[in-house]
């Protein structure tokens, strides 16, 4: 493919994407394919000779698009939003065109320095403590990781290595393997699965402490667990708090957790993958309480900031603790400016060596939308969730399971869990909207998250009509089956005892 063909293909691809996003409401949010569908449609080997881009683009429409779950559809209400915007798509395209591997400053100065700029922009926008800024004196700063999973793992690994070094210095009689065998970490039983996975990858058990009745983890539960473990000879390493838990978007009590972590010299990380976007809103200022006391935190720009996946912001109070834990220098990685400026080599702040130019799409998106546009986007999600909440509260057949939190509403059909389970099954079979279920203390419920590239009030009305209509049909079916069942029971009894029913009375039975 030469430059001429690239221009043609690229322009056609842009039109294809624009048409797709512009008409995304026309598609069922879930695809109607079975596992293995694509394996039957594509050849078993790559083509021996080149094919034209027109044929390739045609096949994207013919065989790829039918197998896509449409995450940018405003009828997607599962999980949490994974956002995108036209500026972000352009930024991704340009970054792919430059195709740099920005593991150090010399590999592309603009890649590193633009990341420093946009991470400070974002920290100020979210009103984070100043020690997380690159621009302030001190060892703190921000970095773009691929996902919240990576950010959590970086925090867990760095905290682990810091504790190992500290304990070895104070207890030289202990071997490194002895120390590592005693390490333990903590989080809530409401936390994301990536936290438990980080413990597996770090070879360090993470105890999932029971949250309170309100699904919030507080310092008292952490203190009790730490005291028991210290008495048993274990060494506490890190606590991962969550602002916006996966199930109900509950907010752990960061302040009380920080008090315990400070007492026991435990690293405190905050996973604010979803709720972090609300830090920018004055009306949500309570969510920022205690952040000045944490060691690190992460927030997914691909959830609220209209920057496409993957793009997770992570801030460190003392980046040196991560650099010291991860630093592996080889002669081919050195350059003459190394250590001469305050500009970081971000390869020391992450797990992989290579780095994508993610800051470019962030910069373009922020400039195109502005802080005002970003705040308006978060507020729109909140207002649409409030609209859905009103629908739930107005229908006596439903109940809320937890208070609405930002753009998430957790609700269920009243009665046995089976009603909610069957309702979700009907909705998934119809594929008009997509939600996922969750469970707490034996109670099954549905999570309605406001998602999609440009959700509107009419999309919320569409979803509620679909939900209400399907519950009406489900209850009618159950009532009919119950009536048939009762009639069947009467018939069975009649046949068994030879009873004759005449004009609605049964003289023998009486």
């Amino acid at each position: 493919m030469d430059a001429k063909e690239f221009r043609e293909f690229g322009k056609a691809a842009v039109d294809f994407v624009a048409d797709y996003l512009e008409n995304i409401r026309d598609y069922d949010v879930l695809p109607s394919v079975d596992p293995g569908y694509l394996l039957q449609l594509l050849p078993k080997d790559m083509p021996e000779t080149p094919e034209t881009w027109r044929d390739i683009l045609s096949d994207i429409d013919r065989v790829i698009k039918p197998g896509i779950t449409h995450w940018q559809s405003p009828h997607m209400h599962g999980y949490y939003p994974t956002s995108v915007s036209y500026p972000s798509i352009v930024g991704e395209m340009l970054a792919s065109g430059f195709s740099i591997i920005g593991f150090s400053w010399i590999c592309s100065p603009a890649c590193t320095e633009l990341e420093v700029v946009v991470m400070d922009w974002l920290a100020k926008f979210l009103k984070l403590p100043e020690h997380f800024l690159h621009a302030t004196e001190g060892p703190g700063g921000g970095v773009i990781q691929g996902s919240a999973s990576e950010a959590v793992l970086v925090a867990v690994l760095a905290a682990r290595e810091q504790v190992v070094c500290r304990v070895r210095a104070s207890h030289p009689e202990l071997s490194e393997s002895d120390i590592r065998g005693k390490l333990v970490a903590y989080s809530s039983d409401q936390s994301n699965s990536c936290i438990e996975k980080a413990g597996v990858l770090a070879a360090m058990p993470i105890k999932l402490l029971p949250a309170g009745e309100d699904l919030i983890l507080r310092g008292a539960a952490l203190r009790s667990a730490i005291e028991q473990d210290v008495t048993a000879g274990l060494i506490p390493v890190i606590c991962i708090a969550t602002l916006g838990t996966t199930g109900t978007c509950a907010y752990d009590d960061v302040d009380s957790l920080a008090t315990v972590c400070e007492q026991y010299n435990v690293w405190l990380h905050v996973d604010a993958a979803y709720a972090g976007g609300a830090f920018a809103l004055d009306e949500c200022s309570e969510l920022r309480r205690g952040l000045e006391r944490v060691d690190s935190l992460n927030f997914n720009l691909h959830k609220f900031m209209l920057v496409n996946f993957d793009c997770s912001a992570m801030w460190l109070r003392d980046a040196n603790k991560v650099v010291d834990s991860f630093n592996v220098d080889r002669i081919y990685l050195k350059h003459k400016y190394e250590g001469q400026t305050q500009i970081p080599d971000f390869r020391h702040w992450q797990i992989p060596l290579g780095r994508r130019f993610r800051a470019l799409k962030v910069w373009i998106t922020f400039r195109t939308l502005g802080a005002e546009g970003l705040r308006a986007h978060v507020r729109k999600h909140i207002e649409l969730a409030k609209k859905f909440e009103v629908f739930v509260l107005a229908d006596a057949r439903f109940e809320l399971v937890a208070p609405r939190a930002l753009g998430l509403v957790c609700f269920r059909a009243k009665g046995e869990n089976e009603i909610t389970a069957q309702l979700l099954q009907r909705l998934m079979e119809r594929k008009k909207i997509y939600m996922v279920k969750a469970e707490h203390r034996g109670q099954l419920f549905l999570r309605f998250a406001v998602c999609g590239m440009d959700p509107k009030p009419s999309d919320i009305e569409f979803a509620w009509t679909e939900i209400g209509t399907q519950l009406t049909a489900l209850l009618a079916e159950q009532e009919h089956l119950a009536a048939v069942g009762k009639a069947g029971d009467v018939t069975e009894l009649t046949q068994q005892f030879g009873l004759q029913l005449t004009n609605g009375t049964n003289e023998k039975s009486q």
Side-chain angles (χ1 to χ4, degrees), residues 24 33 89 97 109 130 157 233 239 283 390 399 456 480 504:
I24 200 166
V33 297
I89 295 172
E130 287 192 357
L157 293 175
C239 174
E283 59 267 32
V390 169
E399 61 185 350
K456 301 180 183 300
H480 173 69

Side-chain angles (χ1 to χ4, degrees), residues 76-224:
M76 159 65 85
H77 302 292
Y79 313 105
Y80 280 115
T82 177
S83 60
V84 74
S85 63
Y86 293 123
S88 179
I89 295 172
V90 172
E92 191 77 77
M93 180 178 67
L94 290 170
S96 297
F98 291 135
S99 194
I100 64 169
I101 309 295
F103 54 79
S104 67
W105 181 87
I106 198 66
C107 288
S108 277
C111 177
T112 298
E113 296 194 19
L114 188 62
E115 189 158 333
V116 169
V117 170
V118 298
M119 287 303 293
D120 276 7
W121 280 9
L122 184 57
K124 293 175 183 177
F125 173 73
L126 299 178
K127 303 180 181 181
L128 299 182
E130 287 192 357
H131 55 244
F132 287 126
L133 297 176
H134 289 279
T136 57
E137 291 187 11
V143 60
I144 300 177
Q145 307 284 5
S147 65
S149 300
E150 292 175 51
V152 168
L153 181 56
V154 165
V156 168
L157 293 175
R160 183 193 68 183
E161 295 311 299
Q162 290 294 306
V163 168
V164 170
C165 291
R166 185 176 72 239
V167 175
R168 286 185 69 186
S170 59
H171 294 278
E173 74 279 5
L174 295 177
S175 68
E176 184 171 326
S177 60
D178 288 337
I179 297 170
R180 293 185 184 277
K182 297 175 181 293
L183 303 181
V184 63
Y186 310 91
S187 191
S188 164
D189 60 3
Q190 300 299 305
S191 61
N192 189 271
S193 62
C194 74
I195 292 172
E196 196 171 359
K197 185 176 182 179
V200 173
L201 296 175
M204 179 174 60
I206 293 185
K207 294 189 175 183
L208 300 181
L209 307 178
E213 288 289 333
D214 52 6
L215 307 176
I216 295 172
L217 179 65
R218 292 183 170 83
L222 178 62
R223 182 183 300 279
S224 176

Side-chain angles (χ1 to χ4, degrees), residues 241-311:
T242 307
L243 289 177
T245 57
T246 302
T248 62
C249 193
Y251 314 122
D252 288 343
D253 186 358
V254 174
D255 242 350
S256 67
L257 294 172
T259 298
V260 178
C261 288
E262 289 164 358
Q263 179 181 349
Y264 288 94
N265 201 12
V266 170
W267 185 301
L268 179 57
H269 177 82
V270 169
D271 175 21
Y274 173 65
F279 293 166
L281 307 181
D282 289 338
E283 59 267 32
C284 297
S285 60
E286 180 66 16
L287 292 180
R288 299 193 300 268
R289 187 169 56 87
L291 291 184
E292 71 281 356
R293 304 171 68 184
V294 309
D295 296 285
S296 55
L297 68 116
N298 65 271
F299 160 60
N300 287 347
L301 281 84
H302 53 255
K303 283 192 167 67
F304 257 146
M305 294 292 100
L306 290 168
V307 177
N308 63 292
F309 184 86
D310 56 357
C311 194

Side-chain angles (χ1 to χ4, degrees), residues 265-488:
N265 201 12
V266 170
W267 185 301
L268 179 57
H269 177 82
V270 169
D271 175 21
Y274 173 65
F279 293 166
L281 307 181
D282 289 338
E283 59 267 32
C284 297
S285 60
E286 180 66 16
L287 292 180
R288 299 193 300 268
R289 187 169 56 87
L291 291 184
E292 71 281 356
R293 304 171 68 184
V294 309
D295 296 285
S296 55
L297 68 116
N298 65 271
F299 160 60
N300 287 347
L301 281 84
H302 53 255
K303 283 192 167 67
F304 257 146
M305 294 292 100
L306 290 168
V307 177
N308 63 292
F309 184 86
D310 56 357
C311 194
S312 185
M314 180 183 190
W315 287 274
L316 299 156
R317 185 186 187 99
D318 185 352
N320 290 334
K321 292 181 178 179
V322 175
V323 173
D324 292 344
S325 301
F326 293 172
N327 191 359
V328 176
D329 266 329
R330 297 289 179 87
I331 189 170
Y332 54 80
L333 297 175
K334 296 184 178 297
H335 56 85
K336 69 177 183 178
Y337 298 104
E338 195 172 36
Q340 296 182 22
T341 69
Q342 291 186 330
I343 301 298
D345 275 347
F346 281 126
R347 72 177 188 272
H348 301 311
W349 297 43
Q350 62 176 26
I351 295 167
L353 173 64
R355 309 198 79 248
R356 298 177 61 233
F357 197 176
R358 297 186 186 96
L360 190 60
K361 62 184 177 184
V362 178
W363 183 60
I364 292 173
T365 302
F366 285 3
R367 291 188 63 187
T368 304
L369 296 168
E372 183 180 79
L374 293 172
R375 283 190 291 265
H377 179 71
V378 177
R379 287 189 172 112
K380 180 173 74 169
H381 276 231
I382 294 173
E383 290 305 312
L384 291 177
K386 288 180 179 178
K387 182 179 181 68
F388 185 83
E389 180 186 32
V390 169
F391 285 143
V392 174
L393 293 173
D395 193 323
R397 301 174 300 172
F398 292 95
E399 61 185 350
L400 294 178
V401 174
R404 178 201 53 80
L406 302 181
L408 178 69
V409 178
C410 297
F411 72 109
R412 66 189 303 274
K414 290 180 180 178
E416 299 296 325
N417 283 340
E418 187 61 22
I419 300 175
T420 297
Q422 290 186 25
L423 173 60
L424 181 62
Q425 182 178 346
R426 294 176 69 100
L427 293 170
M428 295 305 95
E429 288 174 353
R430 287 174 52 79
K431 301 180 173 65
K432 301 302 180 184
I433 63 173
Y434 184 31
M435 291 184 295
V436 295
K437 60 186 176 182
E439 187 176 11
H440 179 63
R441 291 186 170 89
Q443 198 172 54
L444 190 71
F445 63 91
L446 304 179
R447 299 173 67 264
F448 183 92
V450 177
C451 302
M453 185 173 173
D454 185 24
K456 301 180 183 300
S458 58
D459 298 313
I460 305 303
E461 294 164 6
F462 175 88
W464 182 250
T465 299
E466 176 74 0
I467 294 167
T469 300
Q470 290 310 305
L471 181 62
T472 298
L474 172 62
L475 295 177
E477 285 181 10
Q478 290 184 342
E479 186 176 346
H480 173 69
L481 290 173
V484 171
K486 288 180 180 179

